[in-house]
Amino acid sequence: MGTASEGMVQDHDVDFKELYVAARRSFVAGVAFSDTVSRGCGQLPSATGQHYWASVLFTRIVVTSKSVQLLAPEIRPSAHWDFSALASLVRNVAECYLYFFFLCVDDVPEVEREARIIMLDLHDDGSRSRLFAEIGEQDPEPEKTAQRKVVRESLEARFRANAWLMALPEKRQRELLRGDKTPFVQDDVIDRTDLDRKQFRFIYRFLSAHTHSGPLAFYRMAEHGRGMGFSNPNDAMYAAWALEFGAGIIERATGAMLEMFPGAEQRGRKLRSAEIRRSPGSRR
């Protein structure tokens, strides 16, 4: 395995170090700015369902990105490196952004906006049913059964009242009503963003291999000197890719939030300044 100092990037790998340091710096700056905007959006009323879901999903993007930052160490002998953990969370940020764009940013007619919320609710209902079925909840209490029936009937009624959903092919309608699948096809959403589909797909699949512990994540670990907890050229390069990718996602999400919640940046900075003044170590 070796020690951390034995695994440090050597002089001939200085390009990888510089690449990683630059990517980390950009990512950290993006997270800090998104955190300010998120604070500025806090407790503001949501004018529409899109504003509500934007605040929820953006909060998740920011919180997860801050966790990514914790997993992106500064290059020093004692640093612990775990690219697979970092990759898993960056992938999560990317997936959350697709939901964010699908529900809150994409410019579609109001009837389709409502349809997307309905599809989300159906997917949630189906996911919860399958989850509890895994632990053998075959005969729930009568009261719970009645409650679920009311929820289900309400969802189906909303579905059938939406003209956009009722215009879909019957097979697709049945799939959506079951709530089996994500309410969108990733490539369809990516194509409606300004993301490059080929680049997104390449990085997403690479991150997915580490998320699911696929062979790509652990083949040639010894030969490449990676995945052992200490700094090395390969993990530094991979982390730089992931952080650069993540920084782009954060930038897009933050920009969209500023359009939906004008003044959030200024409000966030004021709140942050007030917190600093109230902190125990601040001057009075």
Side-chain angles (χ1 to χ4, degrees), residues 29 32-41 258 263-277:
F33 184 51
S34 69
D35 187 43
T36 296
V37 173
S38 182
R39 289 170 182 268
C41 294
L258 287 172
E265 178 186 355
Q266 292 77 8
R267 186 170 183 268
R269 293 192 186 284
K270 288 180 181 178
L271 289 171
R272 181 58 179 159
S273 296
E275 288 176 1
I276 292 173
R277 288 196 297 271

Side-chain angles (χ1 to χ4, degrees), residues 13-193:
D13 297 312
V14 66
D15 289 345
F16 293 126
K17 291 172 65 176
E18 292 177 354
L19 182 69
Y20 172 76
V21 169
R24 184 181 185 277
R25 185 184 303 116
S26 176
F27 185 86
V28 169
V31 171
F33 184 51
S34 69
D35 187 43
T36 296
V37 173
S38 182
R39 289 170 182 268
C41 294
Q43 298 182 344
L44 293 178
S46 296
T48 66
Q50 282 66 43
H51 285 77
Y52 169 76
W53 284 113
S55 64
V56 170
L57 292 168
F58 187 67
T59 298
R60 181 173 173 83
I61 288 171
V62 173
V63 170
T64 306
S65 296
K66 292 174 81 170
S67 296
V68 172
Q69 183 176 322
L70 293 174
L71 290 169
E74 295 181 359
I75 295 182
R76 60 180 187 274
S78 60
H80 174 72
W81 287 71
D82 184 357
F83 171 70
S84 287
L86 183 149
S88 299
L89 289 184
V90 172
R91 178 183 184 268
N92 191 290
V93 170
E95 287 183 321
C96 193
Y97 175 73
L98 294 182
Y99 265 109
F100 177 84
F101 183 89
F102 177 74
L103 293 173
C104 314
V105 180
D106 198 11
D107 186 15
V108 296
E110 185 61 28
V111 65
E112 186 174 350
R113 282 185 181 273
E114 291 298 323
R116 293 182 177 191
I117 299 297
I118 295 168
M119 289 189 288
L120 179 70
D121 289 342
L122 283 164
H123 183 51
D124 173 70
D125 182 68
S127 298
R128 290 175 188 272
S129 296
R130 290 190 299 278
L131 173 65
F132 290 110
E134 294 289 348
I135 58 174
E137 190 182 39
Q138 301 297 331
D139 298 308
E141 299 174 5
E143 184 178 349
K144 288 185 178 180
T145 301
Q147 290 175 347
R148 288 184 182 178
K149 183 179 179 181
V150 170
V151 170
R152 186 67 198 180
E153 289 177 349
S154 174
L155 286 172
E156 291 180 0
R158 288 169 58 201
F159 185 98
R160 294 192 168 87
N162 185 277
W164 189 88
L165 289 169
M166 294 307 294
L168 295 174
E170 289 187 8
K171 180 181 178 182
R172 179 58 175 157
Q173 289 186 37
R174 290 194 296 270
E175 289 177 348
L176 291 171
L177 282 167
R178 287 196 302 269
D180 290 341
K181 300 178 181 178
T182 303
F184 58 81
V185 177
Q186 277 195 357
D187 283 353
D188 291 346
V189 176
I190 293 168
D191 286 344
R192 294 182 67 85
T193 71

Side-chain angles (χ1 to χ4, degrees), residues 181-215:
K181 300 178 181 178
T182 303
F184 58 81
V185 177
Q186 277 195 357
D187 283 353
D188 291 346
V189 176
I190 293 168
D191 286 344
R192 294 182 67 85
T193 71
D194 64 348
L195 293 163
D196 181 271
R197 192 211 287 191
K198 287 186 177 180
Q199 183 184 44
F200 184 97
R201 273 273 154 249
F202 172 79
I203 297 178
Y204 184 84
R205 289 185 186 280
F206 180 66
L207 299 178
S208 296
H210 287 268
T211 300
H212 301 298
S213 295

